[in-house]
Amino acid sequence: MAPMTGPGEQMHALVERLYPLCRSITGDGVRATLEIVDEYVPLRVHEVPTGTQVLDWTVPKEWNVRDAYVADAAGNRVVDFAASSLHVLGYSVPVSATMPLAELRAHLHTLPDHPTWVPYRTSYYQPQWGFCLAQETLDALPDGEYEVRIDSTLADGHLTYAEHVVPGQVPDEVIVSTHVCHPSLANDNLAGIAVATHLARELAEREPWYTYRFLFAPGTIGAITWLARNAERIDRVKHGLVLACAGDRGDLTYKKSRRGDAEIDRVLRHVLATSERPHTIKEFTPYGYDERQFCSPGFDLGVGSLSRTPYAGYPEYHTSADDPDFVSPAALADTLAVCREACAVLDRNRRYLNLSPYGEPQLGRRGLYDSLGGRSDAKQAQMAMLWVLNLADGQHALLDVAERSGLPFDTVADAADALSAAGLIKA
């Protein structure tokens, strides 16, 4: 009988499955990625034609690459796209030529400080071609003629993105966004895709308060396209979270929204602090992942970003060393757990009104004290009831109560449920 696997192992298996695919901001690699994700959660896939105006941007030509290599005089492929999609400069124009190494060097990208690693490089909006390879490979190349071939196309096509919606009890939405444009990079961002996919599956097993919209889109241009196509319904988005670099072994990092005090900012701060996980809270900056699009001043949505080690914060970032071994099942599971806890707080963070606000209501005759008998946290639960009653003025949400009282949010929310059932408060 095969051993049972937990969410961390399942997410890691998804990372491994997606890893070989050649992704970019457009193209068949994105479609293939979304087809695999669709096996886990049903997706609605959108195709936006080349040339479509999206805010201040234009959907670019679609890029696909079938084969690419550098071959020596004997025909040996010394750089081979078939070995790794990182070997081709992203969005390389087609080329078929023979040239000396001295001329070829201008089109080769390496990492001298990490001679065994292959870098990830792109040229989305400038027509160029190039290859990425290990410095030690370049150093071993003798002078001579090399065959250079990139069998790629840049043609009118589409930008592809997908959505998965978990219906809630209300139409107000929480956006969970993750980028799908990077090729063989496990932490950035197959880990984010895996966490988002499994979070969507978990939320579908219960009836959340909010409607959760999961967005799988190319970085920058994908989020901008989604915003342009959904501008008339942006007011439904009450909270949001961008997931990236979600599987390395570093501590968790939360980057605040532009507002700095949005509800999602407070929720993540509370969840991370009360769980006693090692973590860092960072202020918003207009650089990073797609939180900067959602937080652009015209939209100013309450969207933060959750990662482990932030982008460019680890040597393996944007290199071949960001492979599945760099991603930990335990770290993936921990990131998922934080997302799960944050969603639970968002869904239960309501405002209540005390229906007996003149003096403290008698809890004993309503059986509320009796219900605490034998609980190891009976004193804490009692204090939570008193705090909820005192702050149930229609102005304070349960997160306000938890922060002011210093009590765990779940304890406060459970107290509100008990008081509501006893007819003492109402949402």
Side-chain angles (χ1 to χ4, degrees):
M1 184 175 179
M4 296 292 290
T5 58
E9 289 74 20
Q10 294 170 23
M11 288 184 286
H12 195 270
L14 178 56
V15 168
E16 290 181 313
R17 188 178 174 192
L18 295 172
Y19 183 74
L21 298 177
C22 179
R23 281 164 292 270
S24 188
I25 56 173
T26 63
D28 291 335
V30 173
R31 295 186 185 96
T33 298
L34 297 177
E35 286 174 5
I36 291 173
V37 173
D38 184 67
E39 297 175 18
Y40 294 79
V41 292
L43 297 179
R44 181 183 179 190
V45 177
H46 304 266
E47 298 276 8
V48 184
T50 296
T52 302
Q53 190 70 26
V54 286
L55 305 180
D56 195 45
W57 294 60
T58 304
V59 172
K61 290 183 180 295
E62 182 176 323
W63 182 69
N64 286 293
V65 55
R66 289 175 288 270
D67 193 15
Y69 60 86
V70 175
D72 62 19
N76 300 309
R77 294 191 176 193
V78 296
V79 182
D80 191 356
F81 169 74
S84 171
S85 61
L86 293 178
H87 278 308
V88 176
L89 177 76
Y91 257 65
S92 280
V93 298
V95 61
S96 181
T98 300
M99 62 186 67
L101 180 60
E103 181 181 347
L104 178 59
R105 282 181 180 273
H107 299 276
L108 301 181
H109 306 271
T110 65
L111 293 167
D113 291 341
H114 297 283
T116 64
W117 296 357
V118 177
Y120 165 54
R121 299 288 185 268
T122 64
S123 183
Y124 293 142
Y125 302 106
Q126 294 181 347
Q128 298 183 29
W129 64 268
F131 290 87
C132 299
L133 65 160
Q135 181 68 44
E136 66 176 13
T137 301
L138 177 58
D139 291 342
L141 295 182
D143 288 334
E145 296 289 310
Y146 288 85
E147 180 189 1
V148 178
R149 179 162 173 77
I150 298 178
D151 182 11
S152 65
T153 57
L154 270 168
D156 286 350
H158 297 83
L159 178 144
T160 309
Y161 71 90
E163 297 173 290
H164 172 77
V165 176
V166 180
Q169 298 175 51
V170 297
D172 292 343
E173 292 186 1
V174 179
I175 291 284
V176 180
S177 175
T178 193
H179 62 277
V180 297
C181 52
H182 285 19
S184 297
L185 299 173
N187 196 42
D188 181 25
N189 185 42
L190 299 180
I193 295 171
V195 171
T197 299
H198 280 258
L199 178 63
R201 294 179 71 180
E202 288 192 4
L203 288 170
E205 294 175 356
R206 58 185 176 86
E207 189 179 7
W209 178 253
Y210 286 107
T211 293
Y212 284 81
R213 184 176 299 273
F214 289 81
L215 178 61
F216 300 87
T220 304
I221 185 67
I224 286 171
T225 299
W226 185 87
L227 286 163
R229 288 164 58 90
N230 292 272
E232 76 287 348
R233 51 184 302 280
I234 288 297
D235 58 348
R236 290 189 188 179
V237 178
K238 304 305 179 185
H239 319 286
L241 192 62
V242 171
L243 294 175
C245 301
D248 67 86
R249 293 167 175 80
D251 295 341
L252 284 154
T253 301
Y254 177 71
K255 176 183 172 183
K256 293 180 183 179
S257 71
R258 176 179 181 268
R259 300 178 192 173
D261 61 350
E263 188 171 338
I264 190 69
D265 302 327
R266 297 175 59 207
V267 166
L268 264 297
R269 182 180 64 199
H270 180 81
V271 166
L272 291 169
T274 56
S275 69
E276 299 184 350
R277 290 178 173 92
H279 68 277
T280 300
I281 303 290
K282 297 180 66 175
E283 296 297 325
F284 175 80
T285 62
Y287 187 77
Y289 291 108
D290 284 332
E291 69 280 354
R292 69 188 196 274
Q293 310 307 333
F294 298 112
C295 293
S296 55
F299 296 110
D300 195 23
L301 298 175
V303 177
S305 177
L306 181 67
S307 62
R308 302 196 73 84
T309 307
Y311 63 90
Y314 50 97
E316 297 84 356
Y317 177 76
H318 280 193
T319 77
S320 58
D322 184 1
D323 61 16
D325 289 340
F326 183 67
V327 171
S328 158
L332 288 166
D334 188 48
T335 306
L336 176 64
V338 169
C339 293
R340 182 191 305 125
E341 293 164 23
C343 291
V345 174
L346 282 173
D347 277 348
R348 299 181 76 185
N349 189 31
R350 317 253 174 77
R351 287 177 172 81
Y352 287 85
L353 187 64
N354 189 334
L355 301 178
S356 183
Y358 298 102
E360 181 181 306
Q362 190 175 20
L363 301 180
R365 69 179 175 85
R366 293 175 170 85
L368 292 174
Y369 277 154
D370 294 341
S371 69
L372 305 178
R375 287 179 50 163
S376 59
D377 64 342
K379 182 65 175 177
Q380 193 176 63
Q382 177 185 336
M383 287 303 300
M385 287 188 185
L386 297 177
W387 271 109
V388 170
L389 284 167
N390 192 268
L391 293 179
D393 53 9
Q395 302 299 316
H396 292 84
L398 294 184
L399 185 57
D400 297 314
V401 179
E403 289 178 341
R404 186 162 175 180
S405 66
L407 296 168
F409 180 87
D410 284 347
T411 302
V412 170
D414 288 347
D417 288 344
L419 292 167
S420 181
L424 289 171
I425 62 174
K426 70 174 183 178

